[in-house]
Amino acid sequence: MTGPAAELPALGIDIGGTKVAGGVVAPDGTILATARRATPGSSVSSTEDAIAAVVDELAEAHGGELVGVGIGAAGWFDRTGDTVLFSPHLAWRNSSLRKDLTARLQRPLWVGNDANAAAWAEYRYGAARGAYLALMITLGTGIGGGIVLDGRLRPGAHGVAGEWGHMRVVPDGRLCPCGNRGCWEQYASGTALGQTAREVARTSPAAAALLLERVGPDPDGLTGEDVARAAAQGDPLALELVTEVGVWLGQGIADLAAVLDPEVVVIGGGVSKLGEMMLGPARERLDRALPGRGYRPGPRVVAAELGPQAGIVGAADLVRQAVSEGTA
Ligand SMILES: [Zn+2]
């Protein structure tokens, strides 16, 4: 490698349930080129084929020198990124992903959790820039997260920190795919928004008449997206449901603040498009629920700045850092 790693572009790859998306990312966080493939999650080798295809396409499009490849995916990775412990959308179980991909791609690698990569991107280039302790909360189908403390991503002793979507907020509450009941993500996520709307529509169809006009008479067709769109158009019930998600979000942030005392909490993921309709109620609830309120500063709660490509940008910068430090 001719130039120092810090001055070269890197590849960032974001593996979701349906697609492998990648980008060539400059050291200032600018995305220079992108590529994507469908994720064939059925087998490890076909997923690795899709990753290799995206890497090859991007390397060819870029043409110049690259530091390495950063890969973020939904799931649990051990602290070193050598092993995927579990990935909900993919076939990896206790797989030696990094070793296999290093052999195949012949490039330095960083491998880790997608929300951790997004947290790092927001710290380096976005809403958490320069913060001493920043938490990222990604709201989508579930809740993911990441911790950046004192200039480092902190993945935890076993690599699985930041899974606050599974804090229990309601004893014996809604069943969560993780096997427990009452997890936070069952009350403050896109899935939660849809589920609460369906519950209301089943028990009081009259109250939900405007919402049901969108999807027909069957409440089971209602999704979080429908509620979000209705709320943006001023539908009173939809606004109430979004407020409720915001209140749950604020309560969870208060609980996180009790443990970690963050300076800033960045809200990202698809559901963050609800913006101030959700963040306003979240901040209000946080103000009332923050432990020691009135005697201590609380965290700022802000919207993510980097959008859906945060995972790509963060993973690219994490491999750049790993190469600089000799750990890739
Ligand atoms: Zn759970």
Side-chain angles (χ1 to χ4, degrees):
M1 189 172 293
T2 52
E7 294 168 15
L8 288 171
L11 298 187
I13 308 284
D14 187 6
I15 303 173
T18 58
K19 65 178 191 320
V20 174
V24 179
V25 186
D28 68 357
T30 311
I31 297 179
L32 306 172
T34 59
R36 64 169 57 203
R37 292 282 187 289
T39 307
S42 52
S43 81
V44 171
S45 68
S46 56
T47 304
E48 292 179 3
D49 289 346
I51 295 169
V54 168
V55 168
D56 288 348
E57 184 181 330
L58 289 171
E60 200 181 317
H62 177 61
E65 207 172 344
L66 291 164
V67 175
V69 184
I71 298 176
W76 293 353
F77 299 80
D78 73 352
R79 182 154 48 109
T80 61
D82 289 341
T83 307
V84 188
L85 304 172
F86 171 77
S87 182
H89 309 301
L90 303 166
W92 293 321
R93 296 291 180 270
N94 240 330
S95 305
S96 54
L97 173 71
R98 188 155 89 156
K99 198 164 123 243
D100 300 349
L101 281 176
T102 301
R104 176 144 185 192
L105 302 176
Q106 297 288 313
R107 294 175 186 275
L109 283 188
W110 176 89
V111 181
N113 175 269
D114 54 353
N116 276 358
W120 182 251
E122 292 292 339
Y123 168 74
R124 285 278 285 131
Y125 309 109
R129 217 172 314 171
Y132 174 70
L133 175 45
L135 306 183
M136 175 98 196
I137 298 176
T138 57
L139 301 177
T141 320
I143 295 179
I147 303 166
V148 178
L149 168 65
D150 201 10
R152 306 288 301 186
L153 182 64
R154 308 289 176 173
H158 308 99
V160 295
E163 292 291 340
W164 25 72
H166 302 284
M167 296 192 296
R168 189 168 76 159
V169 296
V170 179
D172 300 321
R174 290 173 177 166
L175 187 63
C176 181
C178 78
N180 294 329
R181 280 187 178 277
C183 294
W184 191 26
E185 69 176 35
Q186 296 307 312
Y187 298 87
S189 65
T191 308
L193 195 56
Q195 180 162 352
T196 311
R198 291 190 293 276
E199 284 170 9
V200 173
R202 265 183 229 116
T203 51
S204 353
L210 279 172
L211 268 181
L212 287 170
E213 269 177 24
R214 300 172 169 267
V215 295
D218 182 6
D220 288 344
L222 271 173
T223 66
E225 296 250 318
D226 296 321
V227 182
R229 272 193 293 271
Q233 290 165 7
D235 177 327
L237 174 64
L239 278 167
E240 199 178 305
L241 296 173
V242 169
T243 299
E244 195 179 314
V245 164
V247 169
W248 277 114
L249 179 62
Q251 180 62 50
I253 293 171
D255 295 341
L256 291 177
V259 181
L260 293 165
D261 185 21
E263 176 180 334
V264 60
V265 178
V266 181
I267 311 299
V271 179
S272 66
K273 280 186 289 191
L274 290 167
E276 289 304 309
M277 284 191 295
M278 176 180 69
L279 294 184
R283 290 192 199 99
E284 250 168 63
R285 179 55 171 238
L286 170 63
D287 279 348
R288 285 197 288 126
L290 184 72
R293 60 195 173 280
Y295 300 98
R296 57 165 287 185
R300 288 183 292 122
V301 176
V302 297
E305 290 179 5
L306 295 178
Q309 296 192 308
I312 290 173
V313 173
D317 198 62
L318 284 160
V319 73
R320 194 179 287 117
Q321 182 188 55
V323 169
S324 295
E325 296 175 353
T327 56

